[in-house]
Amino acid sequence: MNFKSIKQVCVLSLSALVLPLATTSSALAKVLELKKIAGKSPAEVTKILGKPSSTKNVRPSGTGCNPCPKMTYQKDRIEVIFINGKADWITVNELSAFAFAPSILTQFGLPSLKPSASNSSTISWDSIPGFSSVALFGFDGKADYLYVKVKTK
């Protein structure tokens, strides 16, 4: 490269440093607005998340439905079990781009609240309006997956 001034060299060097930061921050865009699918029918969830990657029946104990449809979306990244026809148990996988921290709630359109309990691998909340429970699982300081129960315990 032919540089006409030291200013050009500095600007190009700074650009090289900024580009990775932009790439990293774009990975931290909101993952999913949980309230948009919580308690919704399979048809309503499909409108938001797209066509399911897979569908099967599962038999979760103590739910009142046997069997319950389980649908996965976005190449199995999001799993939804529909209990009594509504999206009730929601799992969001592949969260390693995020820190294992309570602040992750904002990535799902939820308020950042103090956890009800936490340890080195689990952070959980039982006081988020509209949800029975929310639990984040992780390791080595990184989030792994979020498990949400809307109504059924």
Side-chain angles (χ1 to χ4, degrees):
M1 294 185 129
N2 186 9
F3 299 106
K4 294 182 180 176
S5 71
I6 190 72
K7 184 177 178 183
Q8 277 186 314
V9 173
C10 291
V11 168
L12 287 172
S13 297
L14 183 58
S15 296
L17 291 173
V18 172
L19 183 58
L21 291 175
T23 303
T24 302
S25 64
S26 67
L28 298 180
K30 268 205 176 90
V31 176
L32 170 67
E33 293 277 345
L34 282 171
K35 290 182 180 181
K36 288 184 178 181
I37 66 167
K40 303 294 190 246
S41 70
E44 291 170 307
V45 172
T46 297
K47 283 182 184 176
I48 295 165
L49 298 179
K51 185 178 176 182
S53 311
S54 68
T55 302
K56 68 179 183 178
N57 286 324
V58 295
R59 300 183 186 285
S61 63
T63 61
C65 76
N66 198 358
C68 300
K70 175 183 176 181
M71 298 180 184
T72 61
Y73 300 87
Q74 301 177 2
K75 298 181 181 176
D76 300 333
R77 185 169 186 215
I78 301 169
E79 302 172 9
V80 181
I81 296 178
F82 293 89
I83 299 173
N84 297 320
K86 303 293 182 185
D88 200 331
W89 294 1
I90 303 165
T91 305
V92 183
N93 298 298
E94 300 176 23
L95 297 177
S96 62
F98 300 95
F100 178 67
S103 60
I104 198 169
L105 289 179
T106 60
Q107 298 301 320
F108 298 94
L110 301 175
S112 185
L113 299 173
K114 183 179 177 184
S116 304
S118 66
N119 60 39
S120 64
S121 62
T122 309
I123 303 171
S124 61
W125 298 263
D126 60 11
S127 60
I128 298 176
F131 297 90
S132 176
S133 65
V134 176
L136 174 67
F137 297 86
F139 57 93
D140 293 336
K142 293 183 179 182
D144 186 22
Y145 67 96
L146 188 77
Y147 185 60
V148 177
K149 290 187 174 185
V150 178
K151 185 176 178 183
T152 307
K153 295 185 183 219

